[in-house]
Amino acid sequence: QISKEKTKQYKNLWDTYPSNSGYFICIRLKKILAEDLRQLLIKKYSVGTICTDTYDLRIAFSGLDEQEIGLVFDKIAKAAESLQN
C-alpha cells in the first residue's frame, strides 16, 4: 500500500503506463531524462532499470519481495528529485 503522500510525490515526478503484468511497470518521467536517472540509480542506489525511450523507464519487480517494492520506488523518487535540483 502506497500512502497518499507518496502518491503525490511520485505523481510530481512521473506518470505510470497501464500495466496488467506482475513483472514490470513503465513510468514516463516528467522533468528528467530516463538515461540520466537509470545511470544514477545503478551507480548510487544499486537499482537496475531499463531506459526504453527518452523519458520512459522500465522497472522490473518480479524478483523482489513484496516489502522491497516500496523501497525501490522510494529510491527512484529520491534519485529523480536529486536530478531535478
Side-chain angles (χ1 to χ4, degrees):
Q1 181 87 357
I2 297 174
S3 70
K4 288 183 181 183
E5 180 181 306
K6 291 289 183 183
T7 301
K8 185 177 179 180
Q9 175 192 17
Y10 297 164
K11 193 70 175 160
N12 289 331
L13 299 168
W14 64 71
D15 290 317
T16 58
Y17 286 102
S19 175
N20 62 359
S21 167
Y23 299 103
F24 63 88
I25 190 168
C26 292
I27 61 174
R28 179 142 184 97
L29 301 165
K30 293 186 176 183
K31 300 177 183 174
I32 57 174
L33 299 175
E35 182 62 18
D36 293 346
L37 180 57
R38 185 194 72 77
Q39 288 182 24
L40 179 61
L41 284 168
I42 196 69
K43 290 177 186 173
K44 187 171 181 180
Y45 298 94
S46 299
V47 172
T49 58
I50 298 169
C51 177
T52 61
D53 200 354
T54 304
Y55 296 100
D56 295 347
L57 197 68
R58 180 175 149 172
I59 301 117
F61 50 84
S62 58
L64 298 173
D65 290 332
E66 187 176 345
Q67 65 271 17
E68 294 175 309
I69 295 171
L71 297 172
V72 168
F73 278 92
D74 287 344
K75 289 179 181 182
I76 294 169
K78 188 173 183 178
E81 287 171 339
S82 74
L83 287 172
Q84 285 184 357
N85 299 328

